[in-house]
Amino acid sequence: MKLDVLATGPHPDDVELGCGGTLLKLATLGKKTGIFDLTRGELGTRGTPEIRLQEAEKAAELLNAEVRENLEMRDGFFENNEENQLKVIQIIRKYRPEIVLASALEDRHIDHGKAAKLVHDACFLSGLKSIDTGQEVWRPKHIFHYMQWQNFQPDFIVDISGHLDQKIEACLAYKSQFYNPESQEPETAISAQNFLNLIRSRAEDLGRLIWKEAGEGFQTQAALGVSSPLDFLH
């Protein structure tokens, strides 16, 4: 199956938080999207890896993703090495996305920046025919990095108006991770009420910057081109 856009995160729930609205919008436009997580999030304070995987499948359904895979790297300890690069290369060549959406280049959680670098390197290597995985070579045209814990100045903002409620619903599919007043588990940085509020307020604020209801911000390490300055009016 060829995908238009493939989104990835180091842990189940990163994609939902960072670019869930964008995936929803793409699906409504008839584009095929998919997700792959690098780890099972087994170092998480709340829940279990098994619960996280079940929640991830539910979230993928809510985002209308065609596929979701987990590469089962070691949460917290995965490295940007040949073994892990080959795992990502095989996924890239399997789904041949035009665009990859990846984690933040720098962030509070050490896995976020590590994952961004790993995916970036693997996307480049995936286009080299001398790396034999038994698959056709493929290099995505663009890699865009979504916003996570830390705010950044986005290179562009995707209008996700009309999709914010469903994005939040997909995030809340992770009942073990986010705000739940009935939970007896320890509170974490993302289980607090104010983090749940942030999901909506950040999207609305990014939308404000582009005169829309809601938005998601992205960074890129490569120059972006348009055929005409008038393209920015759309």
Side-chain angles (χ1 to χ4, degrees), residues 173-192:
Y174 295 90
K175 295 181 180 179
S176 67
Q177 302 302 306
F178 298 112
Y179 179 69
N180 179 359
E182 298 179 359
S183 175
Q184 300 300 310
E185 296 197 75
E187 186 167 304
T188 69
I190 65 171
S191 68

Side-chain angles (χ1 to χ4, degrees), residues 44-226:
T45 301
R46 296 160 65 100
T48 66
E50 292 74 25
I51 290 173
R52 290 282 287 271
L53 290 177
Q54 293 173 6
E55 293 169 340
E57 288 302 316
K58 176 62 176 177
E61 293 177 9
L62 290 168
L63 294 180
N64 298 318
E66 299 284 336
V67 294
R68 186 169 205 153
E69 296 197 27
N70 194 296
L71 300 189
E72 298 187 354
M73 297 180 191
R74 291 184 65 203
D75 188 9
F77 295 100
F78 69 85
E79 298 179 357
N80 183 9
N81 56 24
E82 181 178 353
E83 177 185 1
N84 288 332
Q85 289 168 358
L86 285 169
K87 289 181 179 180
V88 177
I89 288 169
Q90 289 169 18
I91 287 289
I92 297 297
R93 290 178 174 180
K94 179 179 180 179
Y95 293 114
R96 295 172 293 147
E98 302 297 326
I99 292 173
V100 168
L101 304 180
S103 54
L105 293 166
E106 297 181 8
D107 210 41
R108 169 181 173 269
H109 197 302
I110 61 171
D111 281 354
H112 294 176
K114 283 197 302 179
K117 177 63 173 170
L118 168 58
V119 170
H120 180 273
D121 291 353
C123 284
F124 176 81
L125 293 171
S126 181
L128 301 180
K129 64 180 182 180
S130 57
I131 298 176
D132 184 10
T133 61
Q135 300 164 293
E136 180 182 354
V137 300
W138 184 266
R139 183 177 293 150
K141 291 183 175 64
H142 294 286
I143 307 168
F144 299 136
H145 301 273
Y146 50 77
M147 193 176 294
Q148 297 191 263
W149 181 266
Q150 296 175 193
N151 292 330
F152 56 64
Q153 180 64 41
D155 293 316
F156 65 91
I157 297 171
V158 175
D159 174 15
I160 62 165
S161 301
H163 302 291
L164 180 53
D165 287 342
Q166 194 168 348
K167 167 195 166 96
I168 294 175
E169 185 182 359
C171 293
L172 293 179
Y174 295 90
K175 295 181 180 179
S176 67
Q177 302 302 306
F178 298 112
Y179 179 69
N180 179 359
E182 298 179 359
S183 175
Q184 300 300 310
E185 296 197 75
E187 186 167 304
T188 69
I190 65 171
S191 68
Q193 175 74 65
N194 64 358
F195 186 82
L196 180 59
N197 296 340
L198 173 68
I199 300 173
R200 181 175 295 277
S201 63
R202 172 186 275 173
E204 290 176 340
D205 190 53
L206 288 167
R208 173 187 65 85
L209 296 175
I210 57 172
W211 295 77
K212 301 295 182 181
E213 294 177 5
E216 289 178 335
F218 296 86
Q219 287 183 326
T220 176
Q221 298 184 76
L224 296 175
V226 292

